[in-house]
């Protein structure tokens, strides 16, 4: 169902890894589609000091029932000690697009 669609996000400091995490999730049928944002600058606390890094944000379009498997898949392949992993509920959007995401995950 379209209301089961969620967006899950992580980041990578390596563009090739970001592409690998994106393509692999689609090939594994864990996400219907993935977007990689242009490099962003991240500031964060790490081990008692402020760090700055160039990162690529990876956004996975998936469904609630595939979310746990996607999270495990990403964490197995992600080199960060504490990779960002957040999920965003999709509360609306194009019915056609949301149906496509749901149908793609149902066939996986």
């Amino acid at each position: 169902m379209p209301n089961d669609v969620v967006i899950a996000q992580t980041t990578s400091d390596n563009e090739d890894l970001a592409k690998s995490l994106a393509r692999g999730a689609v090939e594994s049928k864990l996400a219907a589609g993935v977007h990689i944002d242009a490099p962003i600058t991240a500031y964060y606390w790490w081990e008692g000091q402020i760090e700055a890094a160039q990162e690529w944000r990876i956004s996975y379009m998936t469904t609630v029932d595939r979310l746990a498997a996607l999270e495990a898949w990403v964490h197995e392949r992600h080199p960060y000690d504490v990779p960002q992993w957040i999920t965003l509920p999709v509360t609306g959007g194009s019915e056609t697009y949301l149906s496509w995401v749901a149908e793609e995950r149902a066939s996986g």
Side-chain angles (χ1 to χ4, degrees), residues 20-89:
S20 176
L21 289 171
R23 184 176 181 89
V26 173
E27 288 173 343
S28 299
K29 297 284 197 174
L30 296 170
V34 181
H35 294 155
I36 301 173
D37 292 335
I40 57 175
T41 301
Y43 290 91
Y44 53 92
W45 282 100
W46 185 251
E47 297 181 348
Q49 58 188 5
I50 295 177
E51 298 284 339
Q54 182 177 5
E55 294 185 313
W56 286 259
R57 181 180 303 122
I58 308 160
S59 299
Y60 300 92
M61 276 55 73
T62 192
T63 52
V64 171
D65 64 329
R66 302 296 284 164
L67 192 56
L70 175 61
E71 181 178 8
W73 185 91
V74 168
H75 283 281
E76 287 173 8
R77 289 156 180 80
H78 207 297
Y80 288 9
D81 291 339
V82 183
Q84 172 185 306
W85 185 258
I86 60 171
T87 59
L88 308 166

